[in-house]
Amino acid sequence: MPIATQAELYPPNPREVPPDLTAPTPAYERRAWLAFGGLVVFVGLYLGLTVYLGWLSFRLIYDAVTGGSAFFGLLAAALPALFFGFLVRGLFLVKHRRDESLVEVTPDDQPELFRFVHRIADETGAPRPHRVFLSARVNAAVFYDLSFWNLIWPSRKNLEIGLGLVEVLSLDEIKAVVAHEFGHFAQRTMAVGRWVYIAHQIAGHVIVSRGWLDRMLHGLSGFDIRIAWIGWILRLLVWALRAVLDTFFLLVIHAHSALSREMELQADLVAVSVSGSDSLIHALHKLGAADDAWDRASRLAIGELGRKRQVDDLFTLQRHILEHLRAILDDAAFGETPARPERQREGHRVFDQELALPPRMWWTHPPSREREDNAKRIYLDSKLDPRPAWALFTDAPGLRRRVTERFLETVIPEGERAPVPIEEVLAKVDEDYGRPMLDRRYRGAYLGRSVVESARGVRDCFDDCDEELDRDEVIARLDALYPEQLVHDLESFKDLTREKQMLTALQDGVLDAPGGVIHHRGAEIPKKKLAAVVESVEEERREAEARVVAHDRAARTAHRLAARQLGPAWEDHHVSLVRLLHYADHTSANLADGADYLHHVFSIVIVDGHVSGSERRRLRSAAEDLYAPLERAFAERDQVVLPDAVLERLEVEGWSQRLDGPFELPPPTESNLGDWLQASDSWALGASDAFRHLAGVTLEALLEVEERIAAAVREGDDPGPAPAAALVPPEYRSFVVGEERERQKKLGWWERFVIADGWVPGTARFAVASAVLVPALMLGGSTGGATLHVHNGLGVGVVVQVGEEQRFVLPHASQRLDVDTGEVTLEARTRSGELVERFDADVDHAFRDYVYNVAGASALVEWTVSYGYDVPANEVALGAPRWSDTSVDFVLQEPPSQLRVSSRSSGTTRDVLTAIEGDASTHMQYVEDEAERRALVEAHLRWTRRARPSWARGSRT
């Protein structure tokens, strides 16, 4: 078969495309700026806090080392250093994981694909992809390699095409999908997404994850109360830091989600410009069916892998399952291109308007109906190309095998595995989907639903069976089963159930109405009337359910009466299968609901990060509620006797073999609750799955027996001896639908406050956290003051003002006071108010001693005092500086006459700073700097009125 040319493989573009169709809308531009602005604020806040704490830590440590109080300085630096490490840790934990399941292709491998892709890129005005990868998924996406430099310089974009999507798309649809992705290629706002990705990882490590800091503070909080209070304060500060960052990051996420929705709509219009308004919508419509079939195919392939058998073509398997699903659903259009009307196509819609949707702030993609309305706002007709998208790929079978193999290698990387022929796997699929419950003649009555969930007991599975009917009457009842009307009843019940769930979610505030207005069945519903609408729909739902349940009873009753025609043993066998189905179904539902309820309670009690005593008791009560049916299921397993038809399907010799091993889960207690919760999941879900499997195979056996009974009665044949009846425990709990354990629908105010659930709780949390964090940061900035020693060498007393503090200093005396680091203003006046001097000085280092020598009127000397042995005084004249710092041990005070030293030491020394006292001529002996000598003489001539005695505090003898 000749290879098609590129022109033949490229569906034509629509005509008369408006030139401004793909232009960014004002909403797009507005959300782009909001997202970018929010990201800048968050990054600025995060980096600002990190830099500030780093600077504060460095300053305190440096001042501690260079100052005179290393111990207290290092102790003060410990807290900001701790928080600095906590924040900076997030910057180094950013990782970009490569998806190992991707298979790269090149133009040499796939020439037609690349010509197709490059032509779309050129026509949409987007850059061509740097690299092209294939995956097994039902997906198409743009992604980029990420490194530190990509945060500054744009990274080249790569294109992913999922073969699970290719399997269901036509040629025009894959053109639309690729064009949509190229719409993203051309968007400069994708850089915001790249930055948000990095910010998300950083925020996750700081806000969500719990690491060494939390473990340390938790341990500290558990010490003696004399120490524990430190841990409590630090945990409060950590909470406040996380809450503030989380608030800003939530704003970033909401803004980026809004931008992402606009980006999707704008990329859709790019696809419309080259493929028309329908092709992309048709591709979207196929996604659900493709995903369903692919999930089933991948689970089957992974199951085979667990048996050391490898499927070689996942996509043929996907296609085969999709065909079975069409037959089961009796929907030939399932996963196929929707039909287009011949006229008025612009008004035709494939997707219905949803009654309710999740809160819009969390969407990254608009709902399908909104995307369809956007694509058809300006309708562009185009010719559809039904040829499969596989026409673009060279050696498609080999490519399918290669991508399948890579996907399965990422699931289970190692181990021996033997290839299994695809024909064998398809035969297994045919067998699985050929089960009786999936047969079309049952009209979907057994598809995805339980036929005994509404029956409180086995008797409720039957109508009155006391009447005796002849063979013709029984056959008439059998013939009346599974009418065409049943399809409509099942569909009505399903739709009304979903409708009621949607309305209830709207009523509870879990979901939002599109556009903020509730439209129900063509009418606008005020919220105050919603409760009445919910009740009305529930009444309709109950009526539809009653019709379906009545048919379930009629089917069991007709076959029971038919079995009675064959003899008591056949009736006993039929009833025993119904009883076994009821037992398995209700036990499975009880266990599954108990496990889910326990998860629900657990998620609520831990939402605030702390479990109180009452919450722990609530959690234990939920655990006990699950343990009781679980323990009973294992205790009564020997009382369950299964017929051969069920045992064959389970591939076991008895129920005890299926529910295997001793039951080793202890009852939940106060002391073992944590370990119990970790172990309970595997027990509960394992047992629930076992009973659900038993219910499934029992239903199959029941339908086969009913078919056999009906055939024997209709034909008047002898079916032979009846199989042995099934046995179940004489008493067990029925778990009727509607009696599920009641869930808490809304969090309390405290929990909502802790997780910022809603604008009011979020604002309140931010306000409280800020009130804790901001003063702490301000206090940290002022931590680490210095000691100022003021010496007055004048013959008159002076009032010294340092900042806001005043001190009176006697002549030839000294005083000390604490000052903050930074620039300080010093002023000295006589008692009569005459200004001696006024100047600004820098207190550069914390934990250091500074000396203010008023008017430079005293000469300063450093010298050494020895204890225990003779050491020369080592006197050093410092001149007469007005402002200086020092690191001596004793400043302007007499050193002690004795000092205790270690027994291993023969002595020690200490450094002393002394102010010289005497007349100007005495001072001049210690001052060499000409400016200081002149200032000293002028100060004494101006301010010293009479001679002073030679005594002075701090003078050297």
Side-chain angles (χ1 to χ4, degrees):
M1 181 178 179
I3 299 177
T5 65
Q6 177 61 34
E8 293 173 338
L9 288 176
Y10 197 82
N13 291 354
R15 292 176 294 181
E16 299 180 1
V17 179
D20 60 345
L21 177 67
T22 61
T25 63
Y28 179 98
E29 294 177 344
R30 184 170 59 253
R31 288 185 169 92
W33 281 111
L34 285 174
F36 179 74
L39 185 62
V40 168
V41 170
F42 172 77
V43 172
L45 175 66
Y46 188 93
L47 293 180
L49 284 171
T50 304
V51 171
Y52 171 76
L53 290 169
W55 167 82
L56 182 59
S57 304
F58 172 78
R59 180 179 69 80
L60 292 175
I61 293 172
Y62 177 78
D63 290 344
V65 173
T66 59
S69 183
F71 174 76
F72 291 106
L74 293 175
L75 189 63
L79 181 59
L82 193 71
F83 280 85
F84 171 73
F86 175 60
L87 288 177
V88 82
R89 166 180 173 265
L91 297 175
F92 292 95
L93 293 176
V94 175
K95 297 179 180 178
H96 181 65
R97 294 180 177 86
R98 171 74 183 272
D99 188 345
E100 297 298 331
S101 69
L102 297 178
V103 174
E104 185 174 5
V105 291
T106 66
D108 293 335
D109 300 332
Q110 299 294 327
E112 293 299 332
L113 175 65
F114 273 82
R115 279 195 287 270
F116 185 85
V117 166
H118 287 167
R119 183 170 175 181
I120 296 175
D122 296 342
E123 290 188 352
T124 56
R128 292 181 176 183
H130 173 48
R131 301 162 76 184
V132 175
F133 294 86
L134 303 180
S135 71
R137 295 183 283 264
V138 181
N139 189 43
V142 179
F143 70 98
Y144 32 75
D145 297 322
L146 196 61
S147 67
F148 173 80
W149 298 110
N150 294 140
L151 297 179
I152 303 172
W153 305 107
S155 55
R156 291 182 291 185
K157 301 178 182 70
N158 305 316
L159 176 64
E160 175 195 344
I161 300 175
L163 297 190
L165 183 61
V166 171
E167 180 64 37
V168 299
L169 295 185
S170 64
L171 209 54
D172 68 286
E173 291 161 356
I174 196 171
K175 179 185 178 184
V177 169
V178 173
H180 170 90
E181 300 307 325
F182 281 129
H184 289 309
F185 269 65
Q187 290 170 336
R188 288 180 296 174
T189 48
M190 283 202 75
V192 177
R194 185 168 68 248
W195 299 330
V196 170
Y197 175 82
I198 295 292
H200 196 283
Q201 291 196 53
I202 293 172
H205 286 299
V206 172
I207 299 169
V208 179
S209 68
R210 298 295 182 263
W212 59 270
L213 179 61
D214 299 276
R215 292 191 294 271
M216 183 188 72
L217 296 183
H218 182 76
L220 184 63
S221 302
F223 281 170
D224 186 278
I225 193 171
R226 290 170 292 184
I227 299 177
W229 65 271
I230 300 174
W232 300 340
I233 293 175
L234 293 180
R235 289 175 72 179
L236 177 62
L237 291 174
V238 170
W239 170 82
L241 179 62
R242 281 175 167 150
V244 169
L245 289 175
D246 186 37
T247 300
F248 280 94
F249 189 66
L250 282 175
L251 296 177
V252 172
I253 292 297
H254 294 332
H256 184 251
S257 295
L259 173 61
S260 296
R261 296 192 296 271
E262 292 295 333
M263 290 171 65
E264 291 298 324
L265 293 174
Q266 200 267 343
D268 285 349
L269 293 178
V270 172
V272 169
S273 70
V274 297
S275 64
S277 295
D278 291 311
S279 296
L280 181 67
I281 303 307
H282 293 169
L284 286 173
H285 183 261
K286 289 182 175 182
L287 284 181
D291 270 326
D292 190 355
W294 191 88
D295 286 341
R296 295 169 186 265
S298 60
R299 286 199 301 269
L300 193 154
I302 293 170
E304 290 293 319
L305 203 59
R307 291 187 283 273
K308 299 183 177 181
R309 291 156 49 91
Q310 180 158 313
V311 175
D312 65 352
D313 187 346
L314 190 60
F315 312 104
T316 297
L317 186 57
Q318 176 192 10
R319 169 66 64 177
H320 199 64
I321 290 175
L322 189 56
E323 292 170 356
H324 276 289
L325 291 176
R326 289 194 192 103
I328 292 168
L329 298 173
D330 197 19
D331 182 2
F334 185 69
E336 293 288 350
T337 300
R340 290 194 303 181
E342 290 298 323
R343 297 179 179 179
Q344 297 182 339
R345 290 177 177 173
E346 65 278 3
H348 173 67
R349 293 295 182 267
V350 173
F351 294 103
D352 294 327
Q353 180 67 60
E354 291 284 357
L355 176 61
L357 294 165
R360 193 176 182 88
M361 68 175 67
W362 300 111
W363 302 352
T364 57
H365 285 63
S368 296
R369 176 56 183 265
E370 185 176 337
R371 295 181 69 175
E372 184 174 12
D373 289 340
N374 176 64
K376 295 179 179 179
R377 178 170 49 86
I378 300 176
Y379 184 78
L380 297 182
D381 203 356
S382 62
K383 183 178 179 181
L384 305 185
D385 191 330
R387 289 176 295 174
W390 281 111
L392 297 171
F393 294 87
T394 303
D395 186 23
L399 198 60
R400 295 153 78 100
R401 288 192 295 270
R402 183 180 168 196
V403 174
T404 297
E405 182 179 5
R406 179 68 63 84
F407 168 75
L408 294 177
E409 284 176 352
T410 61
V411 176
I412 302 180
E414 300 176 354
E416 295 182 2
R417 56 195 73 178
V420 53
I422 189 64
E423 294 78 15
E424 184 177 333
V425 181
L426 297 181
K428 180 176 175 55
V429 171
D430 292 338
E431 181 181 347
D432 288 343
Y433 285 87
R435 290 174 293 171
M437 67 181 67
L438 304 179
D439 197 299
R440 285 189 180 185
R441 67 176 179 273
Y442 293 125
R443 312 286 188 183
Y446 306 108
L447 186 61
R449 60 176 294 267
S450 168
V451 296
V452 294
E453 63 181 6
S454 299
R456 190 167 298 280
V458 177
R459 288 186 179 181
D460 298 322
C461 297
F462 300 96
D463 291 323
D464 182 14
C465 295
D466 293 336
E467 56 181 328
E468 293 295 333
L469 303 179
D470 58 29
R471 177 169 170 270
D472 292 337
E473 291 174 317
V474 169
I475 293 174
R477 285 204 177 191
L478 293 173
D479 292 341
L481 297 176
Y482 308 109
E484 181 66 32
Q485 179 61 36
L486 180 60
V487 175
H488 303 291
D489 290 341
L490 288 167
E491 193 67 28
S492 176
F493 175 48
K494 177 182 175 182
D495 291 344
L496 287 167
T497 299
R498 185 172 184 274
E499 184 179 347
K500 193 253 182 176
Q501 291 171 344
M502 290 284 188
L503 290 169
T504 302
L506 284 172
Q507 189 178 26
D508 295 337
V510 177
L511 297 180
D512 293 337
V517 179
I518 303 173
H519 291 281
H520 179 247
R521 299 183 182 179
E524 184 176 317
I525 306 297
K527 195 153 189 179
K528 62 183 180 180
K529 294 185 178 180
L530 189 56
V533 174
V534 171
E535 181 57 36
S536 174
V537 171
E538 171 60 13
E539 185 176 348
E540 292 181 45
R541 191 200 67 83
R542 284 194 294 263
E543 292 175 357
E545 181 184 25
R547 291 194 296 272
V548 173
V549 171
H551 181 271
D552 291 334
R553 289 198 305 268
R556 304 290 82 75
T557 303
H559 287 94
R560 180 178 181 178
L561 293 173
R564 187 177 296 172
Q565 296 282 323
L566 304 178
W570 276 103
E571 183 179 2
D572 290 345
H573 178 66
H574 179 262
V575 172
S576 75
L577 286 176
V578 176
R579 183 179 295 110
L580 177 61
L581 175 61
H582 187 274
Y583 166 71
D585 187 276
H586 283 242
T587 304
S588 173
N590 189 15
L591 292 172
D593 186 70
D596 182 73
Y597 178 72
L598 180 59
H599 287 166
H600 170 78
V601 173
F602 180 78
S603 66
I604 288 176
V605 301
I606 68 167
V607 72
D608 59 356
H610 173 72
V611 181
S612 64
S614 61
E615 289 175 330
R616 191 174 181 87
R617 288 189 294 273
R618 180 184 177 189
L619 190 59
R620 181 182 171 186
S621 175
E624 291 171 344
D625 194 30
L626 171 62
Y627 179 80
L630 185 60
E631 189 274 337
R632 183 172 183 176
F634 276 86
E636 297 177 344
R637 58 187 164 178
D638 290 335
Q639 300 180 36
V640 179
V641 177
L642 305 179
D644 291 341
V646 175
L647 292 173
E648 289 175 6
R649 287 175 168 82
L650 290 176
E651 298 180 351
V652 295
E653 296 180 358
W655 179 239
S656 296
Q657 185 180 349
R658 179 65 178 83
L659 212 62
D660 195 17
F663 182 62
E664 298 175 339
L665 184 67
T669 63
E670 189 67 25
S671 59
N672 73 358
L673 187 57
D675 293 335
W676 193 94
L677 291 173
Q678 293 183 7
S680 63
D681 255 4
S682 59
W683 285 99
L685 297 180
S688 175
D689 286 345
F691 276 99
R692 184 166 60 250
H693 189 200
L694 175 60
V697 299
T698 300
L699 178 60
E700 292 179 13
L702 174 64
L703 294 177
E704 283 193 354
V705 165
E706 289 185 342
E707 183 180 354
R708 184 177 175 186
I709 289 171
V713 170
R714 283 191 177 98
E715 298 172 7
D717 293 339
D718 181 6
L727 296 177
V728 300
E731 294 183 3
Y732 58 88
R733 177 184 173 182
S734 62
F735 195 78
V736 179
V737 63
E739 295 184 356
E740 294 82 6
R741 295 162 178 85
E742 186 175 357
R743 269 63 164 176
Q744 181 177 333
K745 294 182 178 180
K746 290 187 177 180
L747 295 173
W749 270 103
W750 172 250
E751 288 81 7
R752 295 188 65 194
F753 169 81
V754 170
I755 65 172
D757 179 27
W759 288 108
V760 173
T763 303
R765 188 188 71 167
F766 176 72
V768 173
S770 299
V772 172
L773 186 62
V774 172
L777 293 174
M778 295 175 63
L779 179 63
S782 62
T783 299
T787 301
L788 176 62
H789 302 264
V790 180
H791 180 73
N792 179 18
L794 300 174
V796 296
V798 294
V799 177
V800 174
Q801 180 163 341
V802 182
E804 300 296 326
E805 189 169 357
Q806 284 187 352
R807 293 289 180 90
F808 177 70
V809 187
L810 293 170
H812 308 289
S814 301
Q815 287 203 30
R816 57 182 290 174
L817 64 155
D818 295 326
V819 293
D820 294 330
T821 56
E823 187 177 76
V824 294
T825 299
L826 298 103
E827 182 180 277
R829 293 178 180 271
T830 64
R831 298 193 73 171
S832 61
E834 292 180 86
L835 179 66
V836 177
E837 63 181 348
R838 189 175 192 273
F839 65 96
D840 295 329
D842 291 325
V843 180
D844 297 319
H845 301 289
F847 315 112
R848 196 168 181 86
D849 291 290
Y850 288 82
V851 177
Y852 171 33
N853 181 17
V854 178
S858 291
L860 303 179
V861 176
E862 279 189 12
W863 56 284
T864 304
V865 61
S866 64
Y867 299 91
Y869 49 77
D870 265 341
V871 173
N874 192 26
E875 187 177 272
V876 178
L878 303 179
R882 181 173 61 172
W883 177 263
S884 61
D885 63 346
T886 181
S887 58
V888 301
D889 300 299
F890 301 104
V891 182
L892 300 176
Q893 60 179 308
E894 287 287 346
S897 58
Q898 294 181 347
L899 196 67
R900 184 185 297 275
V901 298
S902 170
S903 60
R904 292 172 293 182
S905 175
S906 58
T908 187
T909 62
R910 292 292 185 270
D911 295 326
V912 185
L913 174 68
T914 297
I916 299 297
E917 297 300 339
D919 56 19
S921 61
T922 305
H923 289 284
M924 300 297 257
Q925 301 175 32
Y926 297 91
V927 181
E928 296 181 357
D929 183 82
E930 189 62 33
E932 289 183 356
R933 291 167 68 92
R934 185 165 48 252
L936 187 149
V937 171
E938 290 177 355
H940 279 275
L941 288 174
R942 182 175 183 184
W943 302 109
T944 302
R945 303 302 185 189
R946 62 182 184 274
R948 291 294 180 186
S950 59
W951 65 266
R953 176 181 294 181
S955 63
R956 181 171 62 85
T957 57

